[in-house]
Amino acid sequence: GWLLTVQHAANQRAAQRRFKQDLKQGRTSLDMAKLPLYPYQQEGMMFLAFTGRALLADEMGLGKTVQAIAGSELLNRLHTIKKVLVISPASLKSEWLEQIGKFSDRESLIIQGMRKRRYQLYQQPAFFYLANYEQILYDKDYINDEFKPDLIILDEAQRIKNWQTKTAAAIKQLQSPYAFVLTGTPLENRIDEIYSIAQFLDPSLFGPLFRFNRDFHELDEKGFAVGYKNLDQL
């Protein structure tokens, strides 16, 4: 596992060097979307694609969706990905459909209906597949064993308020080589939320929970958390 992680990071750096070289020599461009992106959005797009498993925490209204769509295009150019599973709150699925239509020529498909119908939809040809959080509890095994997405995008990740729930546990079990997590508020009230998001992206980042708690929680004499520390480091 560790060796694969190191190898993956080296491959990402090599891909980034090649891309920047091609950019310099005019063999490629930063135009990954049908409409021009702002410079900070191009930066976000490259951060997502070159990191491979990354958290984008721009504030509301700065176009995280657009950056993720463009990041998917760039990732496809680098590694030829075929299937992107977007998981968002149900109320945002149609917005994703609209944004993909506006910024990309890719086929997108909303996953809906009863379980049998959803499984049929996962088999339809598309690039973006749009599911919502509640469906993952029932579809997780099918997604891992049959659908096998190349990239998973978690939108509005802070909506998973309690990472101890069954839905959150199902999300954490999803497998894909690449993952983008989008949230305007990665730290709202509890630092446990950022630990859970990092666990989904890269479990080696913070290590085991006891170490995370020891490094960033103030504990009383009984070992209960009473406050936070080292937040700059976090």
Side-chain angles (χ1 to χ4, degrees):
W2 174 80
L3 195 58
L4 280 175
T5 307
V6 171
Q7 206 173 349
H8 181 71
N11 291 343
Q12 293 292 100
R13 286 195 299 273
Q16 188 167 8
R17 280 196 302 274
R18 282 195 303 274
F19 181 80
K20 288 189 170 166
Q21 196 67 33
D22 288 348
L23 207 53
K24 207 187 256 181
Q25 293 171 2
R27 288 195 295 265
T28 190
S29 79
L30 288 174
D31 300 331
M32 298 292 155
K34 285 200 296 193
L35 297 174
L37 301 182
Y38 294 110
Y40 77 85
Q41 291 176 328
Q42 291 178 340
E43 203 177 308
M45 163 194 83
M46 289 194 286
F47 165 71
L48 289 171
F50 289 127
T51 309
R53 297 186 71 86
L55 167 67
L56 182 69
D58 282 355
E59 287 171 37
M60 288 280 289
L62 292 182
K64 289 188 290 293
T65 308
V66 177
Q67 292 175 65
I69 293 166
S72 306
E73 282 293 344
L74 178 50
L75 199 53
N76 179 62
R77 204 173 281 192
L78 298 169
H79 301 290
T80 322
I81 60 170
K82 292 184 171 65
K83 289 189 275 193
V84 180
L85 177 62
V86 179
I87 306 169
S88 72
S91 58
L92 294 181
K93 282 157 93 171
S94 53
E95 193 180 309
W96 268 93
L97 195 68
E98 194 181 299
Q99 293 284 314
I100 290 164
K102 188 174 169 186
F103 287 94
S104 165
D105 289 322
R106 297 286 183 178
E107 198 69 41
S108 54
L109 193 65
I110 287 185
I111 303 293
Q112 58 193 351
M114 303 300 279
R115 193 183 300 200
K116 192 178 171 191
R117 174 69 184 137
R118 294 200 303 273
Y119 289 2
Q120 287 170 341
L121 287 169
Y122 285 117
Q123 292 167 32
Q124 300 290 318
F127 186 72
F128 291 103
Y129 295 79
L130 312 177
N132 52 278
Y133 283 106
E134 294 75 14
Q135 291 167 337
I136 303 306
L137 184 57
Y138 307 100
D139 297 359
K140 162 184 65 77
D141 292 335
Y142 184 86
I143 290 167
N144 282 342
D145 301 338
E146 303 289 334
F147 180 62
K148 297 181 178 171
D150 300 298
L151 165 64
I152 291 174
I153 298 174
L154 294 189
D155 188 25
E156 297 271 320
Q158 78 282 1
R159 296 275 187 104
I160 309 175
K161 277 287 172 247
N162 181 359
W163 280 84
Q164 309 323 234
T165 61
K166 285 180 180 173
T167 300
I171 296 283
K172 279 195 206 174
Q173 287 167 41
L174 290 176
Q175 294 156 14
S176 65
Y178 305 103
F180 302 162
V181 173
L182 315 178
T183 167
T185 50
L187 280 173
E188 282 198 302
N189 304 316
R190 293 167 42 232
I191 63 172
D192 314 40
E193 290 168 14
I194 197 80
Y195 180 80
S196 291
I197 290 173
Q199 281 294 97
F200 171 73
L201 286 171
D202 176 5
S204 68
L205 194 64
F206 286 135
L209 184 59
F210 76 86
R211 189 192 304 159
F212 178 83
N213 285 339
R214 188 189 62 203
D215 290 348
F216 302 111
H217 279 102
E218 293 280 3
L219 305 174
D220 65 12
E221 62 277 3
K222 288 180 182 159
F224 290 111
V226 289
Y228 301 132
K229 63 181 182 184
N230 304 329
L231 287 182
D232 289 351
Q233 188 192 342
L234 176 63

